[in-house]
Amino acid sequence: HGIPLTYEGMRLCVRCNKPELLPRMKEAGFDIHAPPQFGEHVVTHAVNSRDLAAVKVLHEMGFSFAEHDAIEIAARKESIAIINYLAPLHPGLVDAQGTQGATPLHWAAQNGNLDVIDALLQNKANAN
């Protein structure tokens, strides 16, 4: 394994809207799949930041979005673009229960966001 990608590396790549640097960091020997030493994982950070460009780059690089409750986070953050991008790629995540036991549809309903509810239902979320 290479050098772990730390939270600082994430901050530079994702928070500064430079997700295209992630493949370069991998080529330079950084272990982009290593868990961060502190802070949140790069996938979680990208979804929390509602950064579709970063999500796309991470997906292209082979990151697992299932391990990080990506659609649940996108529903909580009201990111329809990320829901619509990830749902066809990972249909099981639309109904997956997150760490708190709620599905993305539960979060959307709790937040009262009809657009997110609609996006989830259009992506085959179970309404029951």
Side-chain angles (χ1 to χ4, degrees), residues 22-57:
L22 287 168
R24 291 185 196 160
M25 293 183 81
K26 181 179 180 182
E27 291 168 8
F30 284 86
D31 182 359
I32 58 170
H33 294 283
Q37 294 172 349
F38 59 91
E40 61 193 357
H41 192 277
V42 65
V43 169
T44 305
H45 184 74
V47 178
N48 266 326
S49 300
R50 301 174 56 157
D51 187 341
L52 181 59
V55 168
K56 287 180 177 181
V57 168

Side-chain angles (χ1 to χ4, degrees), residues 52-65:
L52 181 59
V55 168
K56 287 180 177 181
V57 168
L58 293 168
H59 181 262
E60 291 167 7
M61 293 177 69
F63 276 88
S64 169
F65 287 83

Side-chain angles (χ1 to χ4, degrees), residues 7-18:
Y7 187 78
E8 277 302 305
M10 285 192 315
R11 188 180 68 75
L12 292 172
C13 294
V14 178
R15 206 170 258 175
C16 296
N17 295 317
K18 297 288 184 186

Side-chain angles (χ1 to χ4, degrees), residues 3-128:
I3 306 162
L5 179 60
T6 64
Y7 187 78
E8 277 302 305
M10 285 192 315
R11 188 180 68 75
L12 292 172
C13 294
V14 178
R15 206 170 258 175
C16 296
N17 295 317
K18 297 288 184 186
E20 66 275 7
L21 295 179
L22 287 168
R24 291 185 196 160
M25 293 183 81
K26 181 179 180 182
E27 291 168 8
F30 284 86
D31 182 359
I32 58 170
H33 294 283
Q37 294 172 349
F38 59 91
E40 61 193 357
H41 192 277
V42 65
V43 169
T44 305
H45 184 74
V47 178
N48 266 326
S49 300
R50 301 174 56 157
D51 187 341
L52 181 59
V55 168
K56 287 180 177 181
V57 168
L58 293 168
H59 181 262
E60 291 167 7
M61 293 177 69
F63 276 88
S64 169
F65 287 83
E67 297 171 11
H68 303 286
D69 303 327
I71 292 181
E72 176 198 351
I73 295 168
R76 283 186 297 169
K77 294 294 183 171
E78 303 179 345
S79 180
I80 294 167
I82 291 176
I83 291 168
N84 287 334
Y85 176 75
L86 290 177
L89 300 170
H90 306 283
L93 292 182
V94 174
D95 289 319
Q97 289 185 336
T99 55
Q100 297 179 13
T103 67
L105 194 56
H106 289 133
W107 284 108
Q110 181 177 332
N111 291 340
N113 190 313
L114 297 178
D115 293 332
V116 173
I117 291 170
D118 185 52
L120 290 166
L121 291 173
Q122 285 185 27
N123 282 290
K124 313 278 190 269
N126 183 348
N128 296 315

